[in-house]
Each structure stands twice: as structure tokens, then as C-alpha cells.
Amino acid sequence: MSDRRLARWATTSARVVAGSAVATAVVVGAVAGIAAPWPSFTADPVRLQVTPAPSDTVVACDGPVFALGRAAESAAGLTVGAAQDVVSGPDAADAEVSSVSGATGDGSGDATVFRAPPRDRVATPFAAAGSATAASPDLTGFSASACRPPLAESWLVAGATTTGANDLVVLSNPGDVPATVQLSVYGAQGVSTPPSGTGLVVPAGAQRVVPLAGLLLGEESPVVRVVATGAPVRASLQTSLTRVLLPGGSDQAAPLAQAATTLVIPGVSVLTTGEGNAGTVLRLLSPGADASATVTVTPVGGAGVTGNPRTLELPAETPTSLDLSGLAPGPFTVSVEATQPVVGGVWSTTGFGEGADFAWYSPSPEFAASGLVAVARGAGASIVLAADAARGAASVTLTPQDGGAPVTVAVPAGGSVAVPVNAGVYELAPDAPVHAAVSYSAPGALAAYPLWPADAAAGAVTILP
């Protein structure tokens, strides 16, 4: 081999060896880099704590009791059967008073709306309630209801569409934009969405009344779900009954805001054992599709006397009724525990003859903080307070807003107390969570409505830009 070739071979060999060494170093470095812990970096997002400005306190009333089809020339025409007398306060709130209209052409069916602006970035407390007494050959009975904020979803557990029933779904829109409402009806055949309950437009500041029989005819135990888009609505069910041309009472049934696994219905008045008919009936529904529920029903008397708990199965999307007429006459709180969210209500009557009246009792949500409540005018009015056995006893102070002396009552765990009251606005201040309702019981007059706590002041929310 010549010197030149030898030098070229040596140079090439050196390059190969060096390249191999570099490649090996790269592989070893890559493996070591993968195995070694990499530096970490965590970026904390910017968080802003802001408290939204409170909105106006808006409560809408049910309005008068309507009579349907009194005029021979207009079977679907509405007239006012009894005007509503409204109690509101406190007067210092300076609430703006307006109305929702459209139920009747002459404005007699308008319902009152109260709007109280916030003060110093704090929502203004305000409460109102109304009552009406119908006394005519075709419509009788005493009705009472609280004025409530509108809701995006409501459940109406009351009424019937069988012979003698003349029930109305009342929709009010106290807002500034139109609302579109969908009515779904649960009956013996399950849930249906009738064309007459689809796409109902309720203009801003207007009221719309829909006959319940036009949604599902011949149903003994209907439950109506009300869903509003565009704007929330105030929904209620006006129900009246005629037995062989003899009026059997009327009522304005309160809505439920949502289904729950625990329902507490205070202030139920059991006045008759039935006289061959069911004088007190509990209606329940498990609205979840393919979700049957097992429920335990416990009636508790005001003196702590407990009726025998009843357990029953609720089929999915089908209302079920339970006769409670076996209870001894007196006031009761009906508690329902369920394995699935349910809605419910209790119907009770003073009797089945001339001059009879009835009431629908709706579940009361938990009242955990002080708030204002209104008691409408009516005979035999009382505020009924119930405490859960699991939550313990409670002490509740009722302070009249007209300057009267406050009253403090002790509510036993698992029991209830009825406090006789006059019409007016009260501050209800519990030291532990309770359920509360206003109940009326007098000869030929029966009514009740649940007390809801006021919306809590808007708390701070976190914004992530």
C-alpha cells in the first residue's frame, strides 16, 4: 500500500470511529434525557373575585279567580269570578307596582306585579300575598297564594280534567322580553306534549290562560311541567270543582320549583274521613324517564302524633295517588322520602256537600335564613313551622313589620307548630332550618301556600379571563 493510500485509509477510519462515538454519545444522552426529570412549569390563571350587582326583587301575583265559559256565546271566554285582595310590604321598600294583562279583554283579570330596586348594592326584601273568595251559583271557595318570582321551570301538581273539573293553567310574564312556554302533561299513559301546550308565546308584561282540559282530557291526576325560554314565567294552576251542578270549592295551587328526593308539606288540614270518598289525597310523580322510585310517606301531627309510614313504588313518569283519609282529623305535616327525585302535593276538602271547599298543599323548601313572608287576609290563618328530625329542633322568631311585638316559638325535631297570625308582612327568623307554610282553615274555607325563602344576596364569583 502506498503512503497516499495509507494516509487516506487512516483518515477514513478515524472519521468512522469518531462518527460512531458521536452517535453513541447522542443515543446515551437522549436515553439519559428521557429518564431524567424534566423541569416543570405551572401557570396560575388570573382569577378575579367580583360581586355581581343585585337585580330588582320581582314578585308576581296570581291575580283574580277566573270563571270559564259563563257566556253562552263564548264557551272559552274568561270572566272574573272573584277579585284578589293583596297584602304587601314593607311599605318602606318603595316597590314599583305594575300588572300583567291579557287574560280578559276589559283588564279586570290583570294580576299585580311588584318590582323593588336594590339599595346600596343589596337586594331589597319584599313579600306579597293575595286571597279571594268566590261566592256565586257556579263558583265558590276561598283561595290564597303568595306572590312569587318567575321561574324558568315549574311543576304544577294539582287539578283534574274529569267531569266537574274546570281547571286553568295561568302563565304570567312580568319581564321585559317575550317568553316561549312548553307544557308537558303527565298522566295515566305517561308524559305527553300536546300541541295546545307547545310554543306558547307569553308577551312581556302579559298573562296567558290555558284550560287544563285542552291539554289532556279525562285525567284524574295530572301533573304539568312548565318550561319557559326567553324569559321566566310565573305559573300557577287555578282549580275548581262542581258536583252535580253544586260547586265544591276552588283554589289557586302553588308551583314547585324542582323535583327532590325529600318533600315536606306542612299545614295539611285533615277535616273529613271521606264519607265514602277520599277526603285527603297525596299525589306523587317520579318524572325521570325509566326511573321508578320507592317512597316512604310519613304524616306527623302537630302534637307529635305520627301516622303509620307508608311505602309505595312510583312507576316512572306516571302520577300515583295515596289516600290519607284514614288519618284522624287535625293538622298534619306530610313528609316524603324517595329514592329518586319526585314532585307531589296533597288535596284536602272540608266535605262533599253544599258549601264545601278544598285546598291543594304544596311542598315547602327549606327556610334556613331570616326573610320576609306575607300572610294574605283570610279567616283561620296560621303560619305552620316544621323541623326535620335529622336537622334537630329550631327556634323561630316572627316579627310583624307593622310594629307589633315579635313572637318566638320552639319547633321540636320531627314535629310542627302552628302560630295564629293576622294578615300582614312578617320577618321569619329561624336559628335552624325549618319548612314553613301559611294555612287557612275555617267553616267552608280552606287554603294554604308554601313559604319560600328570599333569594340570597349575590355572593362573589370567580372570573377566569
Side-chain angles (χ1 to χ4, degrees):
M1 181 182 296
S2 65
D3 292 341
R4 179 177 297 177
R5 290 181 178 178
L6 182 60
R8 184 180 300 170
W9 177 85
T11 301
T12 302
S13 298
R15 289 175 179 173
V16 171
V17 172
S20 299
V22 170
T24 302
V26 170
V27 172
V28 172
V31 172
I34 293 173
W38 284 64
S40 60
F41 176 75
T42 301
D44 293 329
V46 178
R47 297 174 181 269
L48 301 178
Q49 293 286 338
V50 298
T51 300
S55 59
D56 294 349
T57 300
V58 179
V59 293
C61 304
D62 280 341
V65 174
F66 294 110
L68 179 65
R70 278 183 169 176
E73 65 276 8
S74 178
L78 285 176
T79 55
V80 172
Q84 187 178 50
D85 182 13
V86 177
V87 171
S88 64
D91 294 337
D94 294 331
E96 173 189 343
V97 181
S98 59
S99 62
V100 289
S101 59
T104 58
D106 58 1
S108 60
D110 293 0
T112 304
V113 176
F114 297 93
R115 184 184 300 271
R119 293 179 177 178
D120 300 325
R121 295 183 62 84
V122 176
T124 300
F126 194 86
S131 59
T133 300
S136 58
D138 63 333
L139 182 64
T140 63
F142 174 73
S143 302
S145 61
C147 305
R148 300 285 186 215
L151 299 172
E153 181 183 42
S154 306
W155 293 88
L156 302 173
V157 186
T161 59
T162 51
T163 302
N166 199 359
D167 299 348
L168 305 168
V169 177
V170 182
L171 307 171
S172 299
N173 178 10
D176 298 323
V177 297
T180 301
V181 177
Q182 169 71 52
L183 302 178
S184 301
V185 186
Y186 295 78
Q189 304 303 317
V191 61
S192 62
T193 53
S196 56
T198 302
L200 300 175
V201 177
V202 185
Q207 192 175 53
R208 187 161 181 174
V209 180
V210 181
L212 184 60
L215 301 174
L216 185 63
L217 187 61
E219 181 58 47
E220 293 184 351
S221 304
V223 174
V224 181
R225 183 190 182 198
V226 182
V227 177
T229 57
V233 298
R234 168 74 168 95
S236 65
L237 183 65
Q238 178 190 307
T239 175
S240 60
L241 181 63
T242 301
R243 299 184 182 96
V244 194
L245 302 181
L246 187 69
S250 60
D251 197 24
Q252 292 172 315
L256 286 75
Q258 59 185 5
T261 55
T262 299
L263 303 179
V264 178
I265 310 174
V268 176
S269 294
V270 177
L271 301 176
T272 176
T273 57
E275 302 173 15
N277 300 294
T280 304
V281 178
L282 170 66
R283 182 179 301 177
L284 293 169
L285 168 72
S286 177
D290 301 324
S292 60
T294 301
V295 300
T296 300
V297 179
T298 306
V300 180
V305 179
T306 303
N308 294 327
R310 302 274 297 275
T311 300
L312 65 154
E313 298 293 326
L314 300 184
E317 299 185 331
T318 304
T320 301
S321 295
L322 177 64
D323 185 2
L324 300 180
S325 300
L327 297 173
F332 283 85
T333 293
V334 178
S335 298
V336 178
E337 296 289 340
T339 58
Q340 297 287 341
V342 298
V343 294
V346 174
W347 177 88
S348 189
T349 183
T350 62
F352 298 89
E354 185 175 359
D357 193 19
F358 66 83
W360 278 99
Y361 300 84
S362 298
S364 298
E366 193 173 77
F367 215 115
S370 62
L372 293 184
V373 299
V375 177
R377 294 180 180 89
S382 62
I383 292 180
V384 183
L385 305 165
D388 293 335
R391 304 298 292 269
S395 177
V396 181
T397 300
L398 292 172
T399 304
Q401 298 301 285
D402 60 0
V407 176
T408 300
V409 295
V411 185
S416 62
V417 174
V419 184
V421 290
N422 296 319
V425 175
Y426 296 77
E427 180 187 32
L428 192 156
D431 68 350
V434 296
H435 301 267
V438 177
S439 184
Y440 301 82
S441 182
L446 201 62
Y449 54 86
L451 294 177
W452 292 2
D455 293 337
V461 297
T462 301
I463 298 178
L464 301 178

